[in-house]
């Protein structure tokens, strides 16, 4: 059966202004997501100095392991829940309607996080965790909705680059979070300058430093507020209006206005298309058509995020090796925020951000499958290259350049690789009525991997000898063994990538089987780039 005219027009459209508008509107949401999720790492040390200083230790205050895990991880838990809930809701109520709700939640909780109150350290951390959970919940909704909206607006020739450009705003958001922390900490340090901790342990942390982390959190609400109006003006995607709501006339009118062309409604053709495929997520038909695809998108995103979010395990060693981060005792509280933020900005600028934009440039040339496969392969190679001679690289001054290069390229090939493609593919391979739900499931699987990587491996990487681990932590496997395990995890990601179909250059309905000429009994997923044809 021929495709609806309105969907065909979207697939064949030349790149126009409305494409860039959609990228900016969806991308600014993702910019905010990244800012809110990653800015916490720039001020975690400051929270420890402000609220958990113990004079008897002779060291700057630091968050206890349980508090650190809660402050850093609660947003991940909220994100996982939000991905599942808003992904499902996006298929039930519409992408546009739910999209606005997630943004409002993010604005409210960004501001509330900065206003966390309490008379004790415990009460401040508890309220902060409460608001960051709900901030994460709103962020979670942005994953499936941003990807789905962009995939449904894009043309088939450059769809991968458009979705990748939305995701690339994550790198800009990380850079912005570090930049805001640099500016705020530098301004406060200039006004309330204090000596290093080893000169004046109490005076090294001015009371005014309590405003720094609050301002950093609250600034995250600004980009979200700026894009809310434009999100509400965006029409619902034609694929939701037509294929899910069954309103061909509204879909044609909305897209005619956006594309400035004349389109016909074709209600009869739409009714026949909708009557043919009505299987649900838990049906045998879905399992037969898309079961392997869902297994592929969930496992690869899970494995990727274990490796991606665990790379902070040895970031401290890298930053110390290059002299970007002196010992805590030689800095004041505000100087430490400044130096941590500057180091994170440099890492983002040199390896994280370029990787995202390499994906934008090449994804519709090389394809999703090749980029993801090659990315996992290179991550595996660089992780083993780091882990096997790890202590020699860390402790030998002559090898510090090699140490930094291996670390930077591991990040680069994560972003010019599976970190981008695991976001893109779930927005393409599932039918319209389940697209947002399945993307949410895939993203939630990834966030579960992030929790394992950020916290499971934090414990695993502790020194195996009693007394040499970080204060408050039990002994672990050691960082070298942990990095070798991460290399194995990357290799598993390489293998599970073979469950992912190539989607380059084809319409969404062709990919999902919604535009097949048959009676709906078989869905063909034809592979490009020389891969064999697979029938599900």
């Amino acid at each position: 059966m021929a495709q609806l005219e309105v969907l065909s027009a979207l697939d064949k459209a030349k790149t126009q202004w409305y494409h860039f508008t959609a990228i900016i509107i969806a991308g600014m949401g993702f910019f905010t997501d990244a800012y809110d999720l990653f800015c916490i790492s720039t001020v975690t040390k400051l929270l420890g100095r402000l609220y958990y200083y113990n004079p008897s230790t002779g060291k700057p205050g630091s968050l206890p392991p349980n508090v650190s895990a809660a402050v850093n991880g609660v947003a991940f838990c909220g994100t996982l829940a939000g991905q599942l809930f808003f992904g499902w809701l996006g298929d039930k109520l519409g992408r546009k309607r739910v999209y606005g709700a997630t943004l409002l939640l993010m604005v409210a909780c960004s501001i509330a996080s900065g206003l966390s109150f309490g008379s004790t350290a415990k009460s401040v951390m508890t309220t902060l965790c409460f608001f960051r959970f709900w901030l994460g919940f709103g962020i979670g909704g942005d994953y499936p909705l941003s990807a789905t909206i962009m995939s449904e607006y894009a043309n088939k020739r450059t769809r991968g680059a458009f979705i990748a450009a939305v995701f690339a705003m994550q790198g800009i958001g990380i850079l912005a979070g570090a930049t805001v922390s640099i500016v705020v900490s530098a301004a406060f340090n200039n006004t309330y300058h204090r000596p290093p901790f080893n000169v004046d342990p109490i005076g090294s942390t001015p009371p005014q430093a309590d405003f720094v982390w609050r301002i950093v959190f609250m600034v995250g609400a600004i980009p979200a507020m700026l894009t809310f109006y434009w999100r509400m003006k965006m029409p619902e995607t034609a694929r939701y209006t037509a294929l899910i709501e069954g309103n061909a006339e509204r879909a044609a009118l909305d897209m005619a206005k956006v594309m400035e062309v004349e389109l016909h409604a074709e209600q009869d053709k739409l009714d026949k298309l909708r009557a043919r495929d009505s299987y649900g997520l838990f049906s045998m038909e879905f399992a037969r058509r898309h079961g392997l695809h869902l297994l592929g998108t969930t496992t690869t995103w899970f494995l990727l995020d274990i490796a991606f979010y665990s790379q902070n395990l040895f970031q401290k060693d890298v930053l110390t090796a290059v002299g970007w981060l002196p010992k805590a005792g030689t800095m004041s509280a505000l100087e430490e925020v400044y130096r941590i933020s500057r180091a994170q900005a440099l890492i983002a600028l040199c390896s994280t951000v370029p990787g995202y934009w390499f994906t934008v440039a090449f994804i519709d040339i090389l394809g999703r499958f090749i980029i993801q496969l090659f990315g996992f392969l290179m991550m595996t190679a660089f992780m083993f290259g780091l882990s096997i001679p790890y202590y020699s690289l860390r402790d030998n001054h002559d090898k510090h350049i090699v140490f930094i290069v291996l670390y930077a390229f591991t990040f680069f090939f994560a972003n010019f690789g599976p970190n981008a493609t695991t976001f893109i593919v779930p927005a393409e391979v599932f039918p319209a009525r389940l697209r947002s739900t399945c993307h949410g499931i895939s993203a939630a699987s990834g966030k579960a991997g992030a929790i394992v990587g950020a916290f499971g491996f934090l414990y695993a990487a502790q020194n195996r000898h009693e007394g040499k681990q970080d204060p408050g932590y039990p002994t672990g496997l050691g960082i070298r063994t942990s990095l070798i395990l991460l290399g194995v995890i990357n290799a598993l990601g390489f293998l599970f990538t073979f469950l992912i179909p190539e989607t380059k250059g084809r319409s969404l309905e062709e990919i999902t089987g919604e535009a097949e000429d048959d009676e709906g009994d078989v869905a063909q997923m034809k592979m490009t780039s020389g891969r064999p044809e697979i029938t599900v």
Side-chain angles (χ1 to χ4, degrees):
M1 184 179 292
Q3 192 180 32
L4 288 175
E5 182 183 17
V6 63
L7 303 186
S8 180
L10 283 167
D11 284 336
K12 296 174 182 176
K14 293 181 179 179
T15 301
Q16 299 175 41
W17 178 245
Y18 75 86
H19 288 124
F20 294 108
T21 303
I23 290 171
I24 292 168
I25 293 170
M28 284 307 291
F30 231 75
F31 170 96
T32 306
D33 298 347
Y35 180 100
D36 289 333
L37 279 179
F38 289 91
C39 70
I40 185 70
S41 60
T42 66
V43 297
T44 302
K45 297 287 188 183
L46 177 61
L47 292 173
R49 289 201 187 214
L50 283 167
Y51 294 104
Y52 289 93
Y53 172 57
N54 183 354
S56 65
T57 64
K59 297 179 180 178
S62 61
L63 297 178
N66 61 329
V67 177
S68 178
V71 168
N72 288 285
V74 71
F76 287 156
C77 297
T79 303
L80 188 156
Q83 287 163 339
L84 293 172
F85 177 72
F86 286 115
W88 168 78
L89 210 59
D91 285 333
K92 296 300 179 185
L93 300 182
R95 288 58 159 132
K96 175 187 172 180
R97 190 183 303 175
V98 180
Y99 212 28
T102 63
L103 204 64
L104 287 176
L105 185 58
M106 287 158 56
V107 169
C109 291
S110 291
I111 295 171
S113 293
L115 298 175
S116 298
F117 53 86
S119 57
T120 64
K122 183 178 180 180
S123 59
V124 173
M125 294 301 112
T126 301
T127 52
L128 175 60
C129 288
F130 175 81
F131 290 125
R132 282 192 62 81
F133 174 86
W134 291 108
L135 173 65
F137 194 70
I139 289 171
D142 232 39
Y143 276 74
L145 294 168
S146 292
T148 299
I149 286 172
M150 197 65 247
S151 72
E152 293 183 346
Y153 262 102
N155 62 53
K156 64 182 181 181
R157 184 174 59 85
T158 55
R159 185 179 60 240
F162 289 161
I163 306 173
V166 170
F167 190 70
M169 292 302 290
Q170 184 180 77
I172 307 298
I174 294 170
L175 184 59
T179 303
V180 169
S181 295
I182 288 171
V183 172
V184 175
S185 61
F188 272 76
N189 196 32
N190 185 56
T191 307
Y192 306 105
H193 187 71
R194 292 292 188 274
F197 176 85
N198 54 19
V199 174
D200 185 353
I202 296 176
S204 65
T205 307
Q208 295 84 357
D210 194 56
F211 291 107
V212 171
W213 65 271
R214 296 177 186 275
I215 292 170
V216 170
F217 287 163
M218 293 171 74
V219 166
I222 295 174
M225 285 190 288
L226 293 176
T227 55
F228 179 76
Y229 172 75
W230 298 107
R231 272 198 188 188
M232 292 300 92
K233 284 198 70 175
M234 256 180 115
E236 182 57 85
T237 70
R239 286 179 164 92
Y240 180 86
T241 305
L243 298 176
I244 299 178
E245 288 190 330
N247 192 335
E249 182 179 1
R250 171 50 58 191
L253 285 172
D254 285 345
M255 292 305 106
K257 190 181 297 184
V258 169
M259 301 172 69
E260 299 180 347
V261 296
E262 186 177 338
L263 297 168
H264 300 98
E266 300 181 303
Q267 187 66 50
D268 290 343
K269 185 189 288 187
L270 174 60
D271 291 339
K272 291 176 182 177
L273 279 170
R274 294 182 73 234
R276 193 186 62 190
D277 288 332
S278 58
Y279 57 86
L281 179 63
F282 299 105
S283 66
M284 289 301 297
E285 186 67 15
F286 176 86
R288 197 158 64 88
R289 293 187 180 209
H290 301 290
L292 286 178
H293 304 147
L294 187 59
L295 177 63
T297 58
T298 52
T299 53
T300 52
W301 207 336
F302 175 77
L303 294 166
L304 175 276
D305 273 9
I306 292 177
F308 185 78
Y309 284 90
S310 64
Q311 291 183 57
N312 287 333
L313 294 178
F314 53 100
Q315 188 179 83
K316 182 177 69 174
D317 287 345
V318 174
L319 300 181
T320 303
V322 297
W324 289 352
L325 193 62
K327 291 184 177 181
T330 64
M331 298 180 284
S332 68
L334 292 171
E335 185 186 354
E336 186 175 38
V337 174
Y338 175 83
R339 287 183 174 270
I340 290 172
S341 303
R342 186 183 65 174
Q344 293 201 1
L346 288 169
I347 291 169
L349 203 58
C350 296
S351 62
T352 307
V353 173
Y356 286 116
W357 291 101
F358 263 72
T359 302
V360 174
F362 291 106
I363 193 161
D364 288 311
I365 299 171
L366 300 176
R368 291 72 161 146
F369 176 79
I370 292 297
I371 288 178
Q372 182 162 314
L373 200 70
F374 186 68
F376 268 126
L377 179 65
M378 298 306 292
M379 287 177 71
T380 303
F382 284 115
M383 193 65 81
F384 281 132
L386 263 172
S387 60
I388 295 172
Y390 184 79
Y391 296 114
S392 173
L393 292 172
R394 186 193 66 181
D395 300 334
N396 190 330
H397 188 270
D398 295 335
K399 296 180 180 179
H400 282 176
I401 296 297
V402 177
F403 194 35
I404 300 160
V405 169
L406 289 173
Y407 178 76
F409 272 110
T410 306
F411 260 117
F412 176 82
F413 282 106
N415 295 310
F416 179 40
N419 195 34
T421 55
T422 51
F423 177 79
I424 295 165
V425 173
E428 299 180 309
V429 298
F430 302 107
R433 66 186 176 281
L434 298 170
R435 184 169 292 133
S436 180
T437 301
C438 290
H439 194 286
I441 292 170
S442 303
S445 176
K447 207 50 67 182
I451 293 168
V452 172
F455 304 106
F457 272 85
L458 176 61
Y459 282 83
Q462 294 299 317
N463 197 298
R464 66 180 66 196
H465 301 294
E466 187 64 49
K468 293 187 177 182
Q469 73 272 29
D470 292 340
Y473 289 90
T475 55
L477 300 173
I479 193 163
R480 182 172 175 272
T481 304
S482 297
L483 291 175
I484 290 172
L485 284 176
L486 291 172
V488 173
I489 286 168
N490 287 326
L492 288 174
F494 176 89
L495 295 176
F496 277 101
T497 296
F498 285 95
L499 296 175
I500 302 296
E502 181 55 78
T503 57
K504 180 183 71 172
R506 293 187 295 149
S507 74
L508 294 175
E509 288 68 42
E510 182 186 353
I511 295 165
T512 62
E514 291 170 290
E516 291 292 327
D517 290 332
D518 54 41
E519 298 178 0
D521 294 330
V522 179
Q524 299 284 343
M525 293 301 291
K526 298 178 181 178
M527 307 304 174
T528 58
S529 305
R531 295 183 65 202
E533 182 177 303
I534 298 177
T535 302
V536 180

